[in-house]
Amino acid sequence: MRAGEFAYRALLEEIQSGSLAAGTVLAEVEQAERLGVSRTPLREALRRLAADGLVEQASPRVTVVAGIDAGDIRDLFALRRALEETTARAAATSADRTGFAAFAERFAEAAEALDDDEGRSRYYALIARFDEALDAAVGNDYLTAALRTVRTHLVRVRRMARDKPARLVASAGEHRLIAEAIGSGDGDLAAHATHVHLHNALASILDSLAAADPEAPDDTRTTPGMPPFGKKARA
């Protein structure tokens, strides 16, 4: 693996997992030494992360991990809804949808095993495989590229649901219904089930923000430990 690719993947995983919290300063010398790469590939990785919207320039010489607030999350879900409802409907009309019945069974099983970190990790891995199957069934590179950008940010947002077991169980059931609808070739039901799932997921995330900072105005609440991202553009 090239050094730039290694540095990008390492920093991406740490940002998505929360190991590098929002607002963390990513000093070139320090990060290059920590990752065991030179400053040139480190800069390449930071440029890619900036293009992803995961880091931003606090000043010309200071790069920080970007935060994400309620307004950003609503915007993200508006795009996600358009893309994923389209994807679900298209997948249901695809000739390559035979495997979705098996996904429905796996989601039903996952709902019974969300009581510990291992079960939750397996559930998120199952979602990732489900997303890959959707992309393959649709076979639209432009749609897949747009979804890839959305999913990059969703990994961060989904962390907020890890401490809400009831929501995770409901989410597994919603995914099961989406998979069943696609497997049966019912595009309308697949799109509607996706719409319901995303509505519930967004409501749960915004509730988490409200609980974390009940005194803040609704559109300025941020994820715990995350300063606002993109607030200058909305100010």
Side-chain angles (χ1 to χ4, degrees), residues 10-223:
L11 291 172
L12 175 64
E13 192 280 330
E14 291 175 331
I15 292 171
Q16 290 179 326
S17 70
S19 297
L20 288 175
T24 300
V25 175
L26 301 177
E28 287 187 7
V29 174
E30 175 186 336
Q31 295 300 322
E33 290 180 352
R34 184 176 70 87
L35 296 174
V37 299
S38 69
R39 293 174 67 180
T40 297
L42 191 280
R43 288 171 183 158
E44 175 189 331
L46 292 177
R47 283 194 295 269
R48 291 178 62 184
L49 291 167
D52 291 337
L54 294 173
V55 304
E56 59 186 354
Q57 295 299 125
S59 71
R61 292 182 176 274
V62 179
T63 301
V64 300
V65 177
I68 185 168
D69 67 14
D72 295 314
I73 292 171
R74 289 192 185 93
D75 290 345
L76 179 66
F77 268 75
L79 177 58
R80 186 185 178 192
R81 185 177 299 115
L83 296 174
E84 292 197 7
E85 288 181 25
T86 298
T87 298
R89 189 183 300 276
T93 63
S94 169
D96 183 20
R97 62 173 191 272
T98 56
F100 286 97
F103 270 110
E105 293 179 4
R106 294 190 190 106
F107 280 120
E109 294 169 356
E112 304 296 326
L114 291 168
D115 295 333
D116 54 35
D117 287 340
E118 183 179 353
R120 289 188 285 272
S121 294
R122 287 198 301 267
Y123 174 58
Y124 284 112
L126 177 60
I127 291 175
R129 293 196 299 275
F130 182 64
D131 288 342
E132 291 173 359
L134 283 170
D135 293 345
V138 175
N140 184 323
D141 290 342
Y142 296 102
L143 187 56
T144 298
L147 281 167
R148 186 180 303 116
T149 299
V150 171
R151 290 165 184 162
T152 296
H153 292 275
L154 280 176
V155 175
R156 302 179 81 192
V157 174
R158 280 173 175 159
R159 291 203 319 270
M160 301 170 60
R162 284 185 178 271
D163 295 327
K164 302 175 77 171
R167 174 58 207 148
L168 287 179
V169 171
S171 173
E174 291 157 8
H175 275 93
R176 177 186 57 77
L177 180 56
I178 295 168
E180 286 178 346
I182 293 172
S184 65
D186 192 334
D188 288 340
L189 179 57
H192 179 70
T194 299
H195 182 92
V196 170
H197 167 63
L198 297 181
H199 171 83
N200 292 339
L202 176 59
S204 177
I205 290 167
L206 294 179
D207 283 348
S208 294
L209 292 183
D213 191 2
E215 300 300 321
D218 180 68
D219 64 349
T220 60
R221 291 174 182 141
T222 61
T223 52

